[in-house]
Amino acid sequence: MKNNALVLTNVVRSRLAPLLVAGLAFAPRASAQDTTAQSLPPLVTTAEGEKAKFAGVVLDRRGDTVRVREGNTALHTVLLTPDTKIGTPNGLFKMSRKKRDESTIIPGLMMQVEGRGGPDGMVIADKVRFSKHSMNTAQQINVGSEMTRNQVAANTDSIEVVKRRLADSITHVNARVTNLDNYEEKISTVVNFPTNVSDLVDGAKGVLDDMIGRISGLKGYVIEVKGYADTTGSNPHNLQLSQARAVSVVRYLELRDIPLRRILNPTGFGSANAIATNATPDGRAMNRRATVRVLVNKGLANNGGRH
């Protein structure tokens, strides 16, 4: 990942408080309001020895077991073995394969799986294929979730202990990124989502298309994406949902040929920073959103910021 993890130092620190609250709200057991399972497609089991081939996004991973979501159609459990061949297209015409390590199989990775059914209904993977582009996107998503994962690990600690643990995370982030003090907002927009949904609807795509048209010709810009939720679900679910909404925006920008190096780490803030009351349907609809800001280097902005 090259220079696409730009974060303003004081912006990172300003995120500490809401993330602390969200992190402390995590618990090993989901509450009755947590609707994560309801939002997932049905789990599909594969008969022993039956061939399987599908493409999907890595939802989560525990050791050698990976859950892969095939759109809204199916949820697969995939087992990685020492014999699983993992690779990405390589060479001038992408006809050869570059071998990849198991460590590249991380949440957010879009990949293709070929295998066969195991004795317990899982798919034993013979081949796993994904593009370098998808690998970079997944890595960016996981860097953006780094601070949130630290909160989950520290959920039983006091706020002061959490602050001390977060200090290390902030230090690592600051060591990797470029300071944005010399950037100013050029364009901002908001896209909204239905309840418990992270996929972009057509209207949201239209809003993003309009923004993409407005940044055509800009130079020296970066894009900041933040996801939010209303208070309908539990805090852990809302945090995951808001992160997924930010990721959906990034993936759409990527499809519209916005270079990843231009996009900051997408971050979810759960139900924090509400812009309307959550006591009414209209207010909750406004809070189910992702904000997108185009930031331009001040020196370039003062000169018009165009090629």
Side-chain angles (χ1 to χ4, degrees):
M1 184 174 60
K2 299 180 180 179
N3 296 329
N4 59 353
L6 302 175
V7 182
L8 178 59
T9 300
N10 59 7
V11 170
V12 173
R13 290 187 174 127
S14 71
R15 293 175 178 174
L16 179 61
L19 284 174
L20 281 171
V21 174
L24 290 172
F26 272 86
R29 299 180 299 274
S31 72
Q33 287 182 307
D34 194 339
T35 56
T36 302
Q38 298 176 5
S39 65
L40 293 176
L43 177 64
V44 173
T45 57
T46 304
E48 186 171 0
E50 180 183 349
K51 291 185 178 180
K53 183 177 181 181
F54 54 87
V57 178
V58 175
L59 189 64
D60 53 39
R61 175 177 177 177
R62 293 185 179 181
D64 294 329
T65 303
V66 182
R67 289 201 303 168
V68 179
R69 177 172 181 166
E70 185 183 4
N72 294 321
T73 305
L75 184 65
H76 303 271
T77 304
V78 177
L79 179 65
L80 303 175
T81 73
D83 295 326
T84 302
K85 297 178 180 179
I86 304 173
T88 55
N90 195 34
L92 180 61
F93 299 104
K94 306 296 183 183
M95 299 298 291
S96 60
R97 298 284 178 180
K98 182 174 182 179
K99 185 177 180 181
R100 297 290 183 180
D101 188 78
E102 277 191 18
S103 62
T104 56
I105 308 298
I106 58 177
L109 180 69
M110 175 70 75
M111 66 183 192
Q112 295 180 333
V113 179
E114 293 184 36
R116 63 194 186 283
D120 50 4
M122 292 194 297
V123 175
I124 300 174
D126 295 324
K127 298 179 181 179
V128 172
R129 299 288 182 261
F130 50 86
S131 68
K132 185 177 179 182
H133 206 165
S134 182
M135 182 178 68
N136 290 339
T137 300
Q139 288 172 342
Q140 181 183 10
I141 292 168
N142 279 268
V143 169
S145 303
E146 180 178 330
M147 292 178 67
T148 300
R149 291 195 295 270
N150 282 339
Q151 312 322 307
V152 178
N155 75 82
T156 59
D157 291 337
S158 68
I159 291 179
E160 289 304 316
V161 172
V162 175
K163 286 181 179 179
R164 289 197 294 271
R165 289 190 178 184
L166 277 178
D168 288 338
S169 178
I170 292 172
T171 299
H172 289 312
V173 171
N174 289 341
R176 288 198 306 267
V177 303
T178 301
N179 195 297
L180 291 181
D181 284 331
N182 293 323
Y183 284 75
E184 64 182 28
E185 181 180 301
K186 192 75 172 179
I187 302 170
S188 66
T189 193
V190 176
V191 295
N192 295 99
F193 298 83
T195 302
N196 202 33
V197 172
S198 60
D199 294 334
L200 292 169
V201 298
D202 289 342
K205 292 177 181 179
V207 171
L208 293 175
D209 287 340
D210 178 70
M211 184 200 74
I212 292 169
R214 293 168 64 192
I215 65 176
S216 177
L218 283 179
K219 60 180 179 178
Y221 72 89
V222 293
I223 300 176
E224 174 193 75
V225 182
K226 298 179 181 179
Y228 298 93
D230 62 25
T231 56
T232 301
S234 66
N235 286 337
H237 174 65
N238 288 337
L239 193 62
Q240 294 169 1
L241 183 61
S242 65
Q243 178 73 20
R245 286 169 174 166
V247 170
S248 290
V249 172
V250 170
R251 288 197 181 280
Y252 186 75
L253 295 177
E254 184 183 4
L255 287 173
R256 293 300 312 275
D257 297 325
I258 298 296
L260 276 177
R261 61 186 174 83
R262 296 287 191 187
I263 304 174
L264 306 182
N265 294 328
T267 306
F269 289 87
S271 55
N273 302 327
I275 59 173
T277 177
N278 281 293
T280 66
D282 288 343
R284 291 192 293 273
M286 293 176 65
N287 291 330
R288 296 191 298 269
R289 71 196 192 280
T291 62
V292 188
R293 295 201 307 155
V294 179
L295 309 174
V296 179
N297 183 280
K298 287 181 179 179
L300 295 174
N302 291 336
N303 291 322
R306 302 276 175 179
H307 287 293

